[in-house]
Amino acid sequence: MDRHIAFLEALRAAGLPVSLAEDLDAVAALTALDWTDRTQVKEGYAATLVKRQVQRPIFEALFDLYFPRLVGSGVAGLDRADAEGQAGADASPVRDNGAALAEFREQLALALEAGDEQRLQELAAEMVGRFGAMPGRGPGLSSWSAYTAMQRVAPSELVDRIVAALLGEGLTQEEAERGAGRRVGAFTQRVEADARRRIAEEKGADHVANVALRPSIDRLDFSAARRSDLEEMRREIYPLARRLATRLTKEHHARRRGPLDFRRTVRASMSTGGVPITTHHRPKRPHRTELVVLCDVSGSVASFAQFTLLLVFALRDQFQKVRAFTFIDHVHEVTHHFTPGADVADVMADLAASTAHAALWGRTNYGRALTKFVEEHPDAVGPKTSLLVLGDARSNYSDLHEGVLRELAGTARHAWWLNPEHRRHWGTGDSAATTYGEIVPMVECRNLTQLAEFVHDLAL
């Protein structure tokens, strides 16, 4: 029961909303399962505690910490090399000599070619034990590094062999390359999981859960996102983009009715002596809001800029018209990159290259950028436009030109500002968040969860 409670506390700390009722549901489900079957136990927990697919990876990682499939070396004979090494003065060269490494890589290549899941699990544990061990502090203590093990074994160099094996099974070149990448990626995750397991045995699962696990993708700060995270974020952003468009359309419909239907109104007034107490209106035409997005792409928000460009890509199909602009101290329109049918990877690569070059030479100046935007694109913002500004509002102590932003906000139907900095940093140093926040509603948006909350609050 102590382990159950610790596991649930770790899930809550990682951002999974586990209530007391769900805790009781999990206990009830587990009483009906066979505790000797680890897979049943995991699925029982998942069915009662995990609400969204994006939460599954963090659930899997924490479950492996608190309910590990292996203990110690984990497989028979794994300590053979360690025992041989302890017999001499230098165990490391015995474990990690060229012949042993070549033999292990050959076994790994065969398992990856065959897609043998059980064998790959055993090899992951063996790989950390033999090639990921690092001297620890104190007698009997070791430190385990998945990175060190991956650098020594280099499974990514085996991709060509895996591709050749998959081609022999009748797959196309593209399918074989994708399959090889997935297999190496899955094996890397096994190695990382085993390193965490070994550290948890020495320092406790709570320690690893607090310091070694990355948050789930919906709570991962945009500033900490890696290139591999952006693809997963893109899948989450598209539903949010559709909801954002729906929220704005509903608000527009609520504010305006269709044109007056004079004939129906006069006909209805006959029952009240010719007094038109009730008016009738024609059906409203479908309306799709126009959107203008201003994205800060300076070095201080480089990772956030990648997210904002992904958001623009997702929004382009949801609004009648989308115009996107990037800026540091000058404004550049990038709408032409987001054409229908364009490949998101190619667009992101082109924009990332151009924004990275600009960030090297430009100093962020929001006041100048806003002024240039109004001068060079006076028709961009109108009464049917929703204006979305994305940036940290740090302007290097330059003139903020608040009047320009006030004019833009007054012209647009709606205006919001999404800021990737923590609210406690607003107004500190060269931050103009407090000043600009008095003109345009500013929302803290550091991860997908906060973006979802922003979209939800638009309906309130």
Side-chain angles (χ1 to χ4, degrees), residues 73-288:
S73 61
V75 292
L78 189 59
D79 290 330
R80 171 179 54 81
D82 288 336
E84 292 173 359
Q86 290 171 0
D90 54 347
S92 183
V94 173
R95 288 197 308 270
D96 194 16
N97 60 37
L101 180 58
E103 180 185 356
F104 180 85
R105 295 184 81 242
E106 179 63 24
Q107 295 178 24
L108 176 59
L110 293 173
L112 287 171
E113 290 173 15
D116 188 340
E117 300 293 331
Q118 179 61 38
R119 182 58 179 153
L120 288 171
Q121 184 61 56
E122 295 173 356
L123 289 172
E126 183 177 351
M127 180 169 155
V128 175
R130 295 178 62 183
F131 306 108
M134 304 176 67
R137 297 179 179 178
L141 291 180
S142 298
S143 179
W144 307 97
S145 170
Y147 175 79
T148 300
M150 294 295 294
Q151 287 294 104
R152 292 176 179 173
V153 177
S156 59
E157 296 178 3
L158 304 173
V159 168
D160 289 343
R161 285 190 55 175
I162 305 170
V163 170
L166 294 176
L167 288 174
E169 297 176 4
L171 275 65
T172 65
Q173 181 71 29
E174 183 179 355
E175 292 172 339
E177 290 176 353
R178 284 201 303 265
R182 282 195 295 267
R183 290 187 183 183
V184 172
F187 180 73
T188 301
Q189 293 177 355
R190 287 189 173 96
V191 172
E192 293 172 347
D194 194 75
R196 289 194 298 264
R197 175 187 65 81
R198 290 171 181 269
I199 297 172
E201 288 182 4
E202 295 180 353
K203 298 185 178 181
D206 293 340
H207 170 81
V208 178
N210 290 333
V211 303
L213 283 178
R214 303 181 81 226
S216 57
I217 195 68
D218 57 333
R219 291 185 175 270
L220 178 67
D221 276 10
F222 299 130
S223 60
R226 301 177 298 198
R227 184 179 299 273
S228 58
D229 297 321
L230 293 177
E231 177 62 25
E232 192 171 354
M233 282 185 177
R234 184 170 69 92
R235 291 193 292 269
E236 295 298 314
I237 285 175
Y238 273 86
L240 292 176
R242 288 194 295 269
R243 287 167 56 191
L244 176 60
T246 301
R247 296 284 192 268
L248 295 179
T249 301
K250 284 183 177 179
E251 185 171 342
H252 176 82
H253 286 174
R255 289 187 176 187
R256 297 185 60 187
R257 295 181 296 181
L260 178 69
D261 188 331
F262 183 77
R263 183 173 298 177
R264 289 184 61 201
T265 300
V266 171
R267 188 182 301 117
S269 70
M270 300 301 293
S271 62
T272 56
V275 179
I277 295 177
T278 302
T279 59
H280 293 267
H281 298 262
R282 296 191 181 96
K284 296 182 290 291
R285 293 182 178 179
H287 175 82
R288 298 181 73 191

Side-chain angles (χ1 to χ4, degrees), residues 286-417:
H287 175 82
R288 298 181 73 191
T289 307
E290 298 176 1
L291 181 68
V292 168
V293 185
L294 293 174
C295 306
D296 180 358
V297 292
S298 60
S300 63
V301 290
S303 297
F304 181 65
Q306 294 292 307
F307 153 74
T308 63
L309 298 176
L310 276 178
L311 179 61
V312 173
F313 205 100
L315 291 171
R316 78 192 193 287
D317 294 330
Q318 307 302 323
F319 290 84
Q320 180 181 11
K321 183 179 182 182
V322 175
R323 295 185 69 179
F325 302 84
T326 60
F327 68 90
I328 297 179
D329 56 347
H330 287 76
V331 176
H332 303 278
E333 183 166 8
V334 295
T335 306
H336 60 280
H337 285 282
F338 302 95
T339 55
D343 182 81
V344 63
D346 294 339
V347 172
M348 293 299 296
D350 292 343
L351 289 174
S354 60
T355 57
H357 176 75
L360 289 175
W361 304 105
R363 284 176 57 83
T364 312
N365 188 322
Y366 275 77
R368 182 188 300 168
L370 290 170
T371 302
K372 289 291 185 181
F373 174 69
V374 171
E375 291 175 353
E376 298 174 5
H377 307 281
D379 61 337
V381 177
K384 294 183 179 181
T385 306
S386 292
L387 175 64
L388 188 60
V389 184
L390 304 109
D392 60 1
R394 291 197 174 271
S395 194
N396 291 301
Y397 302 100
S398 58
D399 189 344
L400 301 180
H401 291 281
E402 302 98 310
V404 178
L405 181 61
R406 187 174 287 108
E407 179 183 350
L408 286 171
T411 303
R413 176 175 294 277
H414 312 282
W416 302 277
W417 190 308

